[in-house]
């Protein structure tokens, strides 16, 4: 056998033999981790699964026609090819396949009397603070079946990340689980993830928590929106829309929530107490698509989305913010001007919306409080029927922040009010100050769901 040559390197008087090199380039094939090959394979399948579904019957039909009716074979071939191309090519439109709103277990339900009793037993509030909360609660428009984490009522309770993360995991995963069950979409096919939560911002982020829990793809376009208040849900939809246009033929998962155990204020600054009486547990998950083939099974198509920001005005900018009291306890502050600020922002938003297309049949106004809904109804000259979804949502679920407009749309579906061609107008407000609106068009008659609707008994 021929002996492989070796190379000697001289060091002083000695020499060290080095092993022969088999090549100048590294062995890439041996260094590739097979899990990445698998991920790439799954991604390719996600792009071609629809084509593979249509290809066999298409070929069988072509063979049959070419054998018995050869004169029609080639025109039929071209027609079917164009038809398949039309449905398989990406669309600039954005479709809403389905959405889900989380309903917490019954042991989280809280009545008004339970709220007052537990708050008093916590020994965190003075008599003046309790009287204020009792008054705000009675005028809030919230009923006897909204949901709250009991941990906030523990004596000496302090806002902490553990409680916040536990609540976030429960409501976020609960909403996503129901959505995935309804859409039957493989999580490996989700290209875009946008999650918004106003106050709780962790490291790793909540969007990273979702990726870890569901084992999404390593190249998922992930975004975590924070500090944008109750109007951030529509901002999340807007971002997902832009990303779907950049990554056409993809799925986008949008998640909206607010974490009550992190917004709770346990001090006695009366300017920070009102939000305690309105914010309640909840989350919504929405599946969007820019795949033309998904239009036939989608519920809605995104028609218009308008965002208005009044942050250049100091009064608007300071009307809603997270503050600390003298003891360092944080809480949400709402100024006396917040309703007037919201009114101006909404008017500016409507001015832009009217130039686009003012016609719609249903309205979902962010359910913050009875007073806010009364003012909006008066300003827009809306009927009680227009306000029904917002008022019933406030009564049943309280203020679930950015996810509120989805509970309202779920209510309209539950009542069988969404018919093919109907348009629904969602209105959200948020800190900054922002007013964001979006219009969806129903692509079919939406039948009441037996599974993922929070209004089901």
């Amino acid at each position: 056998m021929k002996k492989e040559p070796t190379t000697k390197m001289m060091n002083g008087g000695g020499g060290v033999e080095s092993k022969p090199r088999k090549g100048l380039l590294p062995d890439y094939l041996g260094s590739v981790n097979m899990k990445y090959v698998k991920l790439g394979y799954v991604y390719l399948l996600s792009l071609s699964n629809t084509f593979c579904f249509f290809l066999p019957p298409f070929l069988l039909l072509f063979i049959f026609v070419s054998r018995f009716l050869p004169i029609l074979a080639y025109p039929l071939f071209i027609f079917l090819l164009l038809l398949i191309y039309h449905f398989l090519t990406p669309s600039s439109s954005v479709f809403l396949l389905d959405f889900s709103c989380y309903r917490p277990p019954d042991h989280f339900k809280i009545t008004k009397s339970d709220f007052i009793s537990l708050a008093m037993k916590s020994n965190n509030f003075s008599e003046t603070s309790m009287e204020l909360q009792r008054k705000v609660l009675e005028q809030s428009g919230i009923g006897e079946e909204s949901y709250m984490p009991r941990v906030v009522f523990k004596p000496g309770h302090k806002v902490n990340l553990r409680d916040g993360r536990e609540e976030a995991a429960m409501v976020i995963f609960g909403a996503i689980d129901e959505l995935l069950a309804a859409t039957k979409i493989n999580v490996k096919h989700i290209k875009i993830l946008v999650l918004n939560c106003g106050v709780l911002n962790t490291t790793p982020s909540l969007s990273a928590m979702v990726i870890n829990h569901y084992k999404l793809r390593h190249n998922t376009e992930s975004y975590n929106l924070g500090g944008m208040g109750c109007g951030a849900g529509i901002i999340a939809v807007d971002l997902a829309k832009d990303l779907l246009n950049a990554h056409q033929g993809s799925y986008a998962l949008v998640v909206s929530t607010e974490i009550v155990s992190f917004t709770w204020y346990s001090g006695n600054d009366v300017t920070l107490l009102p939000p305690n009486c309105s914010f309640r547990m909840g989350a919504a998950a929405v599946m969007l698509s820019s795949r033309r083939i998904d239009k036939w099974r989608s519920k809605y198509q995104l028609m218009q989305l308008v965002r208005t920001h009044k942050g250049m005005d100091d009064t608007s900018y300071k009307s809603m913010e997270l503050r600390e009291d003298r003891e360092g306890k944080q809480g949400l502050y709402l100024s006396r001007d917040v309703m007037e600020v919201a009114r101006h922002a909404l008017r500016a938003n409507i001015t832009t919306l009217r130039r686009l297309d003012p016609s719609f049949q249903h309205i979902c106004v962010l359910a913050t409080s009875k007073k806010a809904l009364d003012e909006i109804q008066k300003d827009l000259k809306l009927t009680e029927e227009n306000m029904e979804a917002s008022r019933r949502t406030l009564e049943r679920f309280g203020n679930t922040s950015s996810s509120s407009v989805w509970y309202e749309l779920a209510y309209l579906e539950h009542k069988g009010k969404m018919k093919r061609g109907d348009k629904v107008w969602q209105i959200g407000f948020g800190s900054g100050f922002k007013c964001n609106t979006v219009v969806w068009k129903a692509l079919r008659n939406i039948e009441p769901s037996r599974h993922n609707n929070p209004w089901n008994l």
Side-chain angles (χ1 to χ4, degrees):
M1 295 181 61
K2 188 175 180 180
K3 188 176 180 181
E4 290 287 328
T6 60
T7 303
K8 290 187 177 181
M9 295 180 62
M10 304 305 296
N11 183 9
V16 178
E17 291 189 354
S18 64
K19 294 183 179 179
R21 297 181 62 183
K22 296 184 178 180
L24 297 177
L25 296 177
D27 184 6
Y28 287 112
L29 184 62
S31 64
V32 174
N33 192 320
M34 289 305 295
K35 70 177 181 180
Y36 295 111
V37 175
K38 181 180 177 181
L39 286 172
Y41 178 69
V42 170
Y43 177 65
L44 289 175
L45 285 180
S46 71
L47 297 178
S48 59
N49 57 359
T50 309
F51 177 75
C52 294
F53 176 80
F54 282 104
L55 185 59
F58 170 73
L59 291 177
L60 289 175
L61 179 62
F62 178 71
I63 292 173
F64 174 82
V65 173
S66 62
R67 183 174 180 180
F68 296 100
L69 297 170
I71 193 173
L72 297 177
Y74 289 104
L76 179 63
F77 175 80
I78 295 175
F79 172 75
L80 291 178
L81 191 63
L82 291 174
L83 187 66
I84 292 177
Y85 175 79
H86 170 75
F87 281 107
L88 294 188
T89 52
S91 170
S92 59
S93 301
V94 172
F95 305 109
L96 192 160
L97 273 72
D98 208 341
F99 67 97
S100 179
C101 300
Y102 180 67
R103 186 174 70 186
D106 286 347
H107 64 267
F108 286 102
K109 282 185 178 180
I110 189 166
T111 64
K112 295 176 183 177
S113 59
D114 287 341
F115 182 101
I116 297 300
S117 176
L118 290 170
M120 291 180 64
K121 291 179 180 178
S122 70
N123 296 321
N124 291 325
F125 305 105
S126 65
E127 291 184 9
T128 302
S129 297
M130 286 304 310
E131 184 59 32
L132 174 65
Q133 291 182 93
R134 184 183 289 106
K135 181 179 179 180
V136 173
L137 193 61
E138 289 299 326
Q139 299 175 352
S140 66
I142 299 177
E144 306 293 334
E145 292 187 307
S146 59
Y147 302 89
M148 283 195 69
R150 293 301 191 270
V151 67
V152 300
F153 295 107
K154 288 184 177 180
H157 169 74
K158 295 182 179 179
V159 172
N160 62 84
L161 283 174
R162 183 186 63 185
D163 294 337
R165 283 179 172 140
E166 287 180 0
E167 181 185 342
M170 178 176 67
V171 298
I172 291 173
F173 297 159
I176 295 176
D177 287 347
E178 292 178 359
L179 178 64
L180 293 177
T183 59
K184 303 295 189 297
I185 289 179
N186 189 321
V187 294
K188 300 298 184 184
H189 297 168
I190 298 174
K191 172 65 177 176
I192 299 158
L193 169 63
V194 183
L195 186 149
N196 70 272
C197 181
V199 178
L200 177 61
N201 289 284
T202 65
T203 302
S205 65
L206 295 179
S207 61
M209 180 184 75
V210 171
I211 290 176
N212 176 261
H213 182 79
Y214 291 98
K215 310 305 178 189
L216 301 187
R217 288 157 41 181
H218 74 283
N219 61 342
T220 301
E221 294 277 339
S222 173
Y223 297 85
N224 196 99
L225 307 181
M228 293 187 169
C230 302
I234 296 177
I235 297 176
V237 170
D238 190 30
L239 176 57
K241 171 181 70 70
D242 291 342
L243 291 169
L244 283 171
N245 287 331
H247 303 277
Q248 293 191 355
S250 302
Y251 290 117
L253 173 61
V254 176
V255 184
S256 298
T257 189
E258 190 57 84
I259 306 305
V260 178
S261 57
F262 221 72
T263 61
W264 181 258
Y265 173 64
S266 58
N268 290 292
D269 185 335
V270 294
T271 64
L272 303 180
L273 285 169
N276 280 2
C277 305
S278 60
F279 279 113
R280 296 295 186 267
M281 298 170 66
V286 184
M287 190 67 73
L288 303 177
S289 171
S290 58
R291 292 158 49 101
R292 197 187 306 271
I293 190 65
D294 284 326
K295 182 176 182 178
W296 69 271
R297 66 177 183 136
S298 295
K299 286 185 173 181
Y300 305 97
Q301 181 175 344
L302 196 159
M303 304 304 294
Q304 300 152 23
L305 194 152
V306 178
R307 293 168 56 182
T308 303
H309 206 304
K310 305 293 286 185
M312 68 294 297
D313 174 68
D314 289 344
T315 302
S316 300
Y317 177 72
K318 298 177 181 178
S319 63
M320 185 184 302
E321 61 184 2
L322 190 65
R323 288 184 177 180
E324 290 184 347
D325 64 12
R326 294 179 179 179
E327 298 178 0
K329 297 178 179 179
Q330 71 175 25
L332 288 171
Y333 167 78
L334 304 177
S335 75
R336 296 178 182 272
D337 302 317
V338 67
M339 284 306 304
E340 188 63 24
V341 166
R343 183 178 290 110
H344 285 297
L346 179 58
R347 287 174 181 170
N349 189 281
I350 291 176
T351 300
T352 303
L353 188 68
R354 274 184 184 157
R355 292 199 295 265
L356 300 175
D357 184 359
S359 61
F360 42 80
Q361 288 70 42
H362 310 283
I363 302 177
C364 298
V365 183
L366 183 72
T368 54
S369 68
K370 181 180 181 300
K371 181 180 179 181
L373 294 180
D374 289 344
E375 291 293 326
I376 293 174
Q377 180 177 5
K378 179 181 177 182
D379 289 346
L380 299 183
K381 297 179 173 58
L382 301 175
T383 65
E384 284 300 321
E385 184 179 4
N386 294 147
M387 300 299 294
E388 181 181 346
S390 300
R391 294 192 185 279
R392 296 291 79 79
T393 297
L394 178 64
E395 179 184 13
R396 176 63 179 85
F397 293 99
N399 179 1
T400 60
S401 189
S402 57
S403 64
S404 171
V405 291
W406 296 109
Y407 285 84
E408 295 167 32
L409 183 53
Y411 175 85
L412 294 173
E413 291 186 357
H414 178 69
K415 293 296 183 178
K417 295 188 176 185
M418 296 305 304
K419 305 300 182 182
R420 180 185 177 90
D422 282 1
K423 292 181 181 179
V424 57
W425 184 29
Q426 292 179 320
I427 307 173
F429 301 94
S431 57
F433 187 89
K434 298 178 287 293
C435 175
N436 306 311
T437 63
V438 61
V439 177
W440 303 93
K441 182 177 76 173
L443 297 176
R444 53 185 168 86
N445 294 340
I446 309 299
E447 300 296 331
S449 173
R450 298 180 181 179
H451 306 291
N452 64 322
N453 193 303
W455 295 92
N456 293 339
L457 298 178

